[in-house]
């Protein structure tokens, strides 16, 4: 802090929601700015309740944290209003007037395109909505009466917050390998997902960022189609305790072991200053709920040290369970 970016390093679903909720509570975040769109779901366990948030920033767990949706983001209005009510954040959430709108027609186009179906899109319509934005015919947040009370200039507000020393987190969605520019094209999403793009969507210049926290899961998962090096079968994934279903669409997630090569590519292209490693307890069940590094078994420490050696980036945060505070914090 003061300005941190949280980005995903693989194909999304690395556990960004959990890391962001920890930072919101532990580091006392003042602002949490969400980028991306409704196709991504961030899972947050808070007070024993599970939230799968497609629009509301993960910083909501801290009552004092102001929540913002970036100009570069794409808002699905019905989902936004539903989550605002569910999380009770009416007073502290705002949307940039220039954010664009994902409409029902975009979802229909997404679901009825054979080509997009072949890529395994989420069906929310984000790709078609961005196409429309690029054509300069998209509806923006300022054109929607239901959003009127929430509108603000998020870009200016965010910069002012950073300049006055507030703690600001720019919340990325998805992961580097789903990036339109750096991912496994054409099996990617409709935007760049890297740390620089997260800053661009929020309207924050690169020199204002202090930390880039790259979230990596202890094994790799991917939903939808496209390559997944080292992929294992569903049966094997169940046996290893790696089998997951998507928080947003409920689809099965495919899985593969952690890759040092992919981790290095992701730390490099994102300019990571810290790695947050999640779900260590899925690789080493003895780690569940551990909150100090010393208590980790030797093999778990070796796994972490290999990642640090190969990427030359410190593993500052280690997730050991689903709740925000199930975590080892080695930053200091
Ligand atoms: P779209 O973003 O809905 O167009 O889908 C394009 C590809 O990105 C598909 O393979 C989706 O499964 C994947 N994708 C999009 N958002 C997420 C996410 O938040 N987590 C994981 N995969 C995602
Ligand atoms: Mg997700």
């Amino acid at each position: 802090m003061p300005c941190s970016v949280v980005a995903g390093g693989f194909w999304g679903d690395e556990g960004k929601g959990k890391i962001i909720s920890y930072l919101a509570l532990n580091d006392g975040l003042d602002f949490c700015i969400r980028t991306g769109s409704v196709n991504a779901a961030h899972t947050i366990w808070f007070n024993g309740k599970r939230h799968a948030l497609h629009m509301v920033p993960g910083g909501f767990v801290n009552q004092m944290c102001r929540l913002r949706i970036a100009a570069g983001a794409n808002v699905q209005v019905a989902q936004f209003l539903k989550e605002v009510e569910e999380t009770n954040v009416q007073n502290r959430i705002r949307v940039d007037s220039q954010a664009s709108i994902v409409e029902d027609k975009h979802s229909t186009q997404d679901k009825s395109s054979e080509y997009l179906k072949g890529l395994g899109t989420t069906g929310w319509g984000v790709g078609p909505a961005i196409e429309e934005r690029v054509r300069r015919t998209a509806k923006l947040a300022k054109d929607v009466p239901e959003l009127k009370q929430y509108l603000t200039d998020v870009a200016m507000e965010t910069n002012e917050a950073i300049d006055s020393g507030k703690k600001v987190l720019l919340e990325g969605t998805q992961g580097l390998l789903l990036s339109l520019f750096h991912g496994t094209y054409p099996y990617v999403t409709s935007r760049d997902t890297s740390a620089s793009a997260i800053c661009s969507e929020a309207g924050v210049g690169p020199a204002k960022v202090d930390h880039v926290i790259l979230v990596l899961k202890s094994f790799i998962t991917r939903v939808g189609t496209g390559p997944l090096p080292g992929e294992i079968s569903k049966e094997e994934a169940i046996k290893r305790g790696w089998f997951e279903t998507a928080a947003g669409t409920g689809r099965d997630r495919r899985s593969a072991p952690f890759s040092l090569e992919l981790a290095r590519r992701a730390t490099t292209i994102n300019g990571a200053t810290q790695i947050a490693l999640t779900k260590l307890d899925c690789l080493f069940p003895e780690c569940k709920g551990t909150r100090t590094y010393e208590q980790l078994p030797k093999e778990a420490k070796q796994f972490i040290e290999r990642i640090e050696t190969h990427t030359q980036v410190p593993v500052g945060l280690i997730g050991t369970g689903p709740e925000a505070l199930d975590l080892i914090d080695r930053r200091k």
Side-chain angles (χ1 to χ4, degrees):
M1 307 291 158
C3 182
S4 302
V5 178
V6 173
F10 294 140
W11 280 276
D13 308 317
E14 300 90 357
K16 290 177 291 297
K18 184 230 159 69
I19 296 299
I20 292 161
S21 59
Y22 172 78
L23 294 171
L25 293 169
N26 184 75
D27 293 25
L29 280 189
D30 297 302
F31 280 84
C32 187
I33 325 293
R34 171 123 182 188
T35 61
S37 191
V38 66
N39 43 3
H42 289 174
T43 304
I44 291 167
W45 282 91
F46 184 57
N47 289 338
K49 189 167 181 262
R50 180 180 178 276
H51 300 267
L53 299 176
H54 294 258
M55 294 264 64
V56 167
F60 93 92
V61 297
N62 178 341
Q63 298 286 335
M64 302 306 289
C65 183
R66 292 175 199 200
L67 312 172
R68 298 293 180 261
I69 297 190
N74 290 274
V75 179
Q76 211 284 356
V77 178
Q79 185 69 26
F80 170 81
L81 296 172
K82 184 175 141 207
E83 291 181 12
V84 166
E85 197 179 307
E86 176 193 316
T87 53
N88 196 21
V89 294
Q90 290 83 352
N91 297 332
R92 56 190 176 105
I93 194 162
R94 297 289 178 270
V95 178
D96 196 287
S97 309
Q98 292 245 96
S100 66
I101 303 299
V102 184
E103 298 177 65
D104 292 343
K105 68 174 183 192
H106 298 128
S107 170
T108 307
Q109 287 163 13
D110 197 348
K111 288 180 188 151
S112 59
S113 157
E114 285 306 317
Y115 183 71
L116 292 178
K117 234 187 279 172
L119 301 184
T121 67
T122 62
W124 276 100
V126 178
I130 291 177
E131 276 181 48
E132 189 161 1
R133 191 173 196 173
V134 174
R135 280 201 299 271
R136 268 72 42 94
T137 53
K139 205 187 251 185
L140 300 183
K142 65 181 175 203
D143 305 321
V144 179
E146 297 102 297
L147 293 180
K148 199 153 182 229
Q149 68 178 109
Y150 297 108
L151 299 179
T152 190
D153 183 340
V154 171
M156 284 305 286
E157 212 187 348
T158 304
N159 280 280
E160 281 156 17
I162 297 169
D163 293 345
S164 64
K166 296 269 192 306
K167 291 176 184 161
V168 175
L169 184 145
L170 309 182
E171 173 171 348
T173 58
Q174 304 153 323
L176 184 78
L177 300 169
L178 284 173
S179 163
L180 183 61
F181 302 156
H182 306 292
T184 50
Y185 193 92
Y187 301 99
V188 294
T189 190
S190 44
R191 60 189 275 272
D192 181 17
T193 53
S194 69
S196 325
I198 295 164
C199 297
S200 159
E201 285 188 19
V204 172
K208 282 203 178 163
V209 173
D210 303 286
H211 306 287
V212 176
I213 302 170
L214 185 77
V215 185
L216 299 173
K217 190 157 61 181
S218 298
F219 52 97
I220 300 182
T221 58
R222 143 162 237 181
V223 280
T225 37
L228 177 57
E231 180 167 3
I232 60 172
S233 67
K234 180 173 170 178
E235 293 65 44
E236 181 61 23
I238 292 169
K239 208 156 67 188
R240 295 190 192 183
W242 298 358
F243 179 69
E244 300 176 346
T245 52
T249 57
R251 293 182 289 178
D252 287 1
R253 288 183 184 156
R254 300 153 59 200
S255 49
F258 190 91
S259 160
L260 288 170
E261 299 317 311
L262 293 178
R264 179 154 66 188
R265 188 175 158 78
T267 52
T268 304
I269 295 174
N270 283 286
T273 60
Q274 291 273 339
I275 291 171
L277 184 69
T278 60
K279 294 208 165 187
L280 190 66
D281 55 303
C282 293
L283 274 198
F284 306 100
E286 322 85 277
C287 298
K288 195 160 181 75
T290 300
R291 296 189 184 184
T292 66
Y293 190 73
E294 292 63 42
Q295 284 175 313
L296 290 179
K298 196 163 115 233
E299 311 77 68
K301 286 183 185 154
Q302 283 168 347
F303 176 63
I304 290 160
E305 282 157 20
R306 264 204 308 279
I307 296 171
E308 291 183 324
T309 305
H310 204 79
T311 61
Q312 290 293 300
V313 177
V315 176
L317 298 165
I318 302 166
T320 57
E323 282 275 345
L325 300 175
D326 289 337
L327 191 135
I328 299 168
D329 190 345
R330 301 166 80 206
R331 301 169 303 160
K332 259 12 146 237

